[in-house]
Amino acid sequence: QVVLVESGGGLVQAGGSLRLSCAASGWTFSSYAMGWFRQTPGKEREFVAAISWSGRATDYEDSVKGRFTISRDNAKNTVYLQMNSLKPEDTAVYYCAGRLAAWSRAASRYDYWGQGTQVTVSS
């Protein structure tokens, strides 16, 4: 059984930082590209960042480039999202996802999802 568990969300002031973690189990984590997505009420889940299975390639949505960093530790079966210079518009539920293929910006192409962690940025 594949399980993804996000952690690290919370309430932070604008300009602050958070690091999200996503721990995976039940699969060969190192074979999967991983992505982070976010969702606010009434909106579709949107792409934030993705990383290849090896960690050598990454991709970011334009609004988070230079502020967020995705990384992974295959020995720990964990993917991270370091979020700096947070803005109120970053407030959302953040989800990690895994895909047994090259990473994608399309949420529909991911095979497994975590339950999400809330990030709230106050102004």
Side-chain angles (χ1 to χ4, degrees):
Q1 180 183 0
V2 175
V3 177
L4 298 176
V5 180
E6 299 98 334
S7 61
L11 174 64
V12 64
Q13 289 188 333
S17 298
L18 285 173
R19 188 173 85 151
L20 305 183
S21 299
C22 173
S25 61
W27 57 337
T28 306
F29 177 77
S30 59
S31 297
Y32 284 71
M34 298 296 295
W36 284 97
F37 292 77
R38 63 188 180 188
Q39 189 171 24
T40 54
K43 293 189 177 181
E44 291 188 357
R45 199 165 293 188
E46 67 171 3
F47 171 77
V48 175
I51 189 166
S52 64
W53 65 270
S54 67
R56 287 194 289 266
T58 58
D59 186 25
Y60 296 93
E61 193 271 330
D62 285 349
S63 70
V64 308
K65 281 182 181 177
R67 300 189 298 123
F68 292 9
T69 303
I70 188 171
S71 62
R72 66 190 297 161
D73 185 337
N74 286 345
K76 295 183 178 179
N77 289 354
T78 302
V79 62
Y80 305 97
L81 185 67
Q82 178 66 44
M83 305 186 295
N84 298 329
S85 302
L86 283 160
K87 304 176 181 180
E89 51 263 44
D90 294 319
T91 295
V93 177
Y94 283 71
Y95 298 88
C96 69
R99 182 170 191 251
L100 188 57
W103 81 84
S104 171
R105 291 189 169 206
S108 62
R109 295 186 177 182
Y110 282 77
D111 303 305
Y112 302 107
W113 290 86
Q115 83 291 347
T117 185
Q118 176 71 46
V119 171
T120 303
V121 185
S122 63
S123 57

